[in-house]
Amino acid sequence: MSSIRQFYRRHRKALTTATSGVLYAGGWTLGYVTPFDTASAVVLVVAAVVGGFDIAKIAYYELRSLTLGIKTLVTLAAVGAIAIGAYWEAAAVVFLFSLGSYLESRTMRKTRSALEELLEMTPDTAVVVRDGEHIEIPARDVEVGEVVVVKPGEKIPVDGDVVDGESAVDQAPVTGESAPVHKSPGDEVYAGTINQEGAFEVRTTGAGSDTTLQRIIRRVEEAQEAQSPTESLIDRFATYYTPAIVALSLVAFAVTRDPMLSLTLLVIGCPGALVIGPPVSIVSAIGTAARNGVLMKGGEHLERAGKIDLVAFDKTGTLTTGETTVAAVEGFGHEPASVLRYAATAEKRSEHHLAAAILAAVESADDTGTLAADGGVSGAIADTSIPEPDEFDVVPGSGVVAHHDGREIVVGNRRLLDDRDISIPDAAAEYARTREDRGETAVHVALDGAVVGVIAVRDELREAAPDVVERLHDAGIQTVMLTGDNERAARAVAEEVGIDDVRAALLPEDKQRAITEYRERGHVVAMVGDGINDAPSLATADVGIAMGAAGTDTAIETADMALMADDLRQIAEAISLSKATRWNVYENVGIAIVTVVFLLAGVLTSYVHLAAGMLVHEASVLAVILNGMRLLRQ
């Protein structure tokens, strides 16, 4: 018995719609082929009651809250039709509306299919290593720090770092990457991704609701519920429009004394397609974006992204891979090996990517002092352990100043040296210019107020960067690079990529001012950065786009749009989807308005009657839903 009740609750709308339809067909047939008019009327009234009970209940609560919605108008129309003896019309209106609502809910559920796909990605169980034994437990019960065993073909149940084994992992559910990514010890993996080849062990950093996939799901749910500006505008319009339709039907009855005309106006004047059209488009687009590894924060940002006409790129980590390496070291009065060691000492506490490159260069130097990458270091680095600086200070956008063993070490760009009145020898300046003309970054090293060397750091260009910029240009979107790097290195990269304009040697606040300036010129600006270092610029831009947000809480929470993988191609695809969504919303609004105008004109000229008007009305609702669902195939 309980299973029957559960089945009924799950399929209530389908069952009541089907029952109403059968009764409607039976009552109409009975009246058409037999002389039993009373029996036909009773069956048709029952059809209206069965199909309209839930509708009338909602209408009751709408009236109690002093609001007028489409269900109130349908209820009034059905009750009025029964009151004047138009039983066939009453049953037809209720059945058609019930059928339309059922089909609408079915198709709306499909627009959220991308979210359902994400939900299905998380496995229910995990195999953990406890006391030397493999134990299967619910994935949500895995604790941070525990080691989880993942076999070939299995979904990874937790976020974590690989500690043993190697494999290729399909990360498409989280990052949208089409090709599997090789994983080895030290690499990060995400819950919901699929292990394809070898077995490996993962030390858990997040489980249950605290995984990257679950954060994406929560953000997608919030984004799909949040209203876009168009939705808010239409809701405000409907607040005044619906009572106006009721007033129009009353005026029509007062003038014509034709109750059927008045009831028809009530039904066909409902703004159903107008209200449902934009949300379907927005929900479909957000779901599609999530499935492709792009996290949209909400309909507002999605709509605004469709108006973007200028994209500003950070250079390092965005147009380039961010995997910086030391290309060469040149000493001036000092051995290159000593220059590198001084720089490493100053940078040891820094978290900047250039500091990481310098420290990695010291570690990779062999016993002859030769860098594996370039051979730019001469003289042995016998002891690669780098001492801690006694004092350490970061100068944002410029470099670092440190003290060690009573000596001051300054590592940074020309601006930092100028600010500290440190002159740069002509030979050092010429060497720096030569390396910068190659697109490299020149890092100056000064000891006790005198330049002792220059370190050239290389950051490889992303392979997809030129193609992405070209696609943006083809879409009529301007591009600009905003970077803290020097002018020559920035222009070398910009020319290779095809960027329209370059602003170099910028501090974070300079980037923010540049974004503000572009907006004041009338541009709708997107800023693409790493989501943390470029936070002021991302917040100032009309749309902030964070690169490589997978596993980064800050980026997921703060960006308007987050690219889960470090894939520049997702930018062009996301903007293209946003523009398509914007036009799709306009199309749906147009379909709704044209349908209402056509129906009103038909009613006032006696060409459209109650049942036919409801049929066309429901057809327009399904039309905008199907049109919005086209975005699921983008």
Side-chain angles (χ1 to χ4, degrees):
M1 194 67 178
S2 61
S3 59
I4 295 176
R5 282 197 297 269
Q6 289 177 357
F7 178 83
Y8 175 71
R9 288 197 206 98
R10 191 178 303 117
H11 303 284
R12 178 186 176 94
K13 183 173 286 190
L15 291 172
T16 55
T17 300
T19 303
S20 176
V22 170
L23 290 171
Y24 165 63
W28 180 84
T29 303
L30 192 63
Y32 185 74
V33 301
T34 70
F36 304 121
D37 292 339
T38 302
S40 172
V42 169
V43 174
L44 289 170
V45 169
V46 172
V49 171
V50 170
F53 179 78
D54 290 338
I55 299 170
K57 188 164 63 173
I58 296 174
Y60 169 73
Y61 289 112
E62 285 181 346
L63 290 173
R64 281 190 60 180
S65 61
L66 301 179
T67 60
L68 285 175
I70 185 172
K71 293 179 174 62
T72 301
L73 301 185
V74 170
T75 301
L76 291 174
V79 171
I82 291 173
I84 64 174
Y87 306 116
W88 181 85
E89 285 82 356
V93 166
V94 168
F95 168 65
L96 288 172
F97 182 79
S98 181
L99 177 62
S101 297
Y102 170 69
L103 294 175
E104 175 187 323
S105 63
R106 283 275 308 234
T107 49
M108 279 296 288
R109 281 199 300 272
K110 191 169 183 179
T111 64
R112 298 178 185 270
S113 60
L115 181 58
E116 293 175 359
E117 290 173 15
L118 289 176
L119 288 167
E120 292 171 359
M121 284 295 172
T122 308
D124 297 325
T125 62
V127 176
V128 299
V129 180
R130 290 181 178 175
D131 299 326
E133 296 184 3
H134 291 183
I135 303 173
E136 184 173 346
I137 63 172
R140 64 178 180 275
D141 293 339
V142 179
E143 297 179 1
V144 173
E146 284 195 301
V147 173
V148 173
V149 178
V150 185
K151 297 178 181 178
E154 291 184 345
K155 293 176 184 176
I156 299 173
V158 297
D159 281 3
D161 299 317
V162 177
V163 294
D164 187 33
E166 295 187 17
S167 183
V169 174
D170 177 5
Q171 298 192 150
V174 172
T175 67
E177 293 168 286
S178 57
V181 180
H182 181 76
K183 299 291 183 180
S184 57
D187 291 336
E188 189 174 15
V189 294
Y190 309 113
T193 57
I194 304 166
N195 179 26
Q196 293 194 325
E197 296 176 354
F200 57 77
E201 296 182 353
V202 176
R203 189 171 302 282
T204 304
T205 58
S209 62
D210 188 29
T211 64
T212 298
L213 182 62
Q214 287 299 320
R215 287 194 291 274
I216 293 172
I217 291 170
R218 286 197 296 272
R219 179 57 71 193
V220 172
E221 288 175 334
E222 292 167 5
Q224 289 184 333
E225 293 300 326
Q227 283 195 322
S228 69
T230 301
E231 292 175 90
S232 300
L233 177 63
I234 288 174
D235 277 355
R236 289 196 299 271
F237 170 76
T239 302
Y240 300 100
Y241 174 81
T242 306
I245 289 295
V246 174
L248 177 62
S249 67
L250 293 175
V251 170
F253 178 73
V255 172
T256 65
R257 296 296 173 178
D258 184 351
M260 189 56 68
L261 172 65
S262 180
L263 294 174
T264 305
L265 283 173
L266 274 180
V267 171
I268 61 91
C270 298
L274 188 63
V275 172
I276 196 66
V280 172
S281 302
I282 298 296
V283 168
S284 296
I286 289 174
T288 297
R291 190 173 60 244
N292 294 331
V294 179
L295 191 58
M296 301 282 190
K297 196 170 182 180
E300 177 184 357
H301 307 292
L302 177 64
E303 282 197 6
R304 193 179 298 132
K307 303 175 185 178
I308 290 170
D309 60 7
L310 186 147
V311 176
F313 291 94
D314 176 42
K315 182 176 82 70
T316 304
T318 302
L319 291 172
T320 62
T321 61
E323 298 175 0
T324 51
T325 57
V326 172
V329 182
E330 185 72 18
F332 300 95
H334 287 70
E335 289 295 321
S338 299
V339 172
L340 190 61
R341 187 173 181 81
Y342 285 133
T345 300
E347 295 277 16
K348 187 165 185 181
R349 295 184 189 173
S350 175
E351 296 180 356
H352 197 274
H353 61 277
L354 294 181
I358 291 170
L359 291 168
V362 173
E363 293 174 1
S364 66
D366 60 26
D367 58 3
T368 65
T370 302
L371 276 175
D374 195 349
V377 175
S378 61
I381 302 177
D383 181 9
T384 59
S385 62
I386 304 301
E388 290 279 348
D390 302 321
E391 296 179 21
F392 171 78
D393 186 33
V394 175
V395 182
S398 297
V400 300
V401 178
H403 289 83
H404 174 68
D405 200 19
R407 310 192 74 175
E408 180 186 72
I409 308 171
V410 177
V411 181
N413 54 27
R414 282 187 293 272
R415 180 172 53 223
L416 178 60
L417 270 60
D418 291 341
D419 290 344
R420 301 185 69 83
D421 295 324
I422 299 175
S423 62
I424 303 176
D426 292 341
E430 180 60 30
Y431 179 79
R433 279 193 295 270
T434 301
R435 305 305 299 201
E436 289 170 355
D437 286 340
R438 301 183 185 182
E440 298 170 353
T441 299
V443 179
H444 299 78
V445 182
L447 183 66
D448 294 331
V451 173
V452 296
V454 175
I455 301 174
V457 179
R458 178 190 297 123
D459 188 4
E460 296 297 330
L461 190 68
R462 289 187 187 274
E463 185 178 342
D467 179 59
V468 170
V469 171
E470 183 179 357
R471 287 178 60 184
L472 292 175
H473 288 164
D474 291 342
I477 298 172
Q478 297 180 46
T479 55
V480 63
M481 179 196 294
L482 305 179
T483 178
D485 210 342
N486 66 83
E487 184 80 20
R488 276 185 294 275
R491 290 205 174 276
V493 171
E495 288 174 7
E496 188 173 356
V497 174
I499 294 285
D500 296 322
D501 190 19
V502 177
R503 295 196 182 189
L506 300 180
L507 297 172
E509 55 267 30
D510 297 326
K511 291 184 181 182
Q512 188 177 17
R513 277 194 293 269
I515 295 293
T516 301
E517 181 183 324
Y518 285 122
R519 293 185 65 192
E520 288 174 349
R521 293 181 188 175
H523 290 290
V524 179
V525 182
M527 175 65 192
V528 187
D530 61 14
I532 301 174
N533 296 334
D534 295 307
S537 303
L538 291 169
T540 304
D542 293 289
V543 179
I545 304 176
M547 286 283 294
T552 306
D553 293 350
T554 304
I556 291 178
E557 294 302 320
T558 61
D560 300 325
M561 188 187 301
L563 310 182
M564 304 314 294
D566 280 325
D567 189 351
L568 276 176
R569 288 169 296 189
Q570 291 180 331
I571 296 173
E573 292 166 2
I575 293 176
S576 175
L577 175 62
S578 299
K579 289 184 179 295
T581 303
R582 185 166 166 243
W583 282 109
N584 194 274
V585 169
Y586 290 159
E587 290 166 2
N588 280 350
V589 171
I591 290 171
I593 292 175
V594 168
T595 301
V596 169
V597 170
F598 168 77
L599 288 175
L600 284 173
V603 171
L604 295 175
T605 56
S606 300
Y607 283 103
V608 175
H609 301 286
L610 186 58
M614 174 56 75
L615 182 61
V616 174
H617 178 275
E618 290 304 319
S620 71
V621 171
L622 292 178
V624 298
I625 290 174
L626 293 173
N627 186 51
M629 288 179 64
R630 290 191 300 113
L631 296 169
L632 292 172
R633 300 192 296 273
Q634 285 286 118

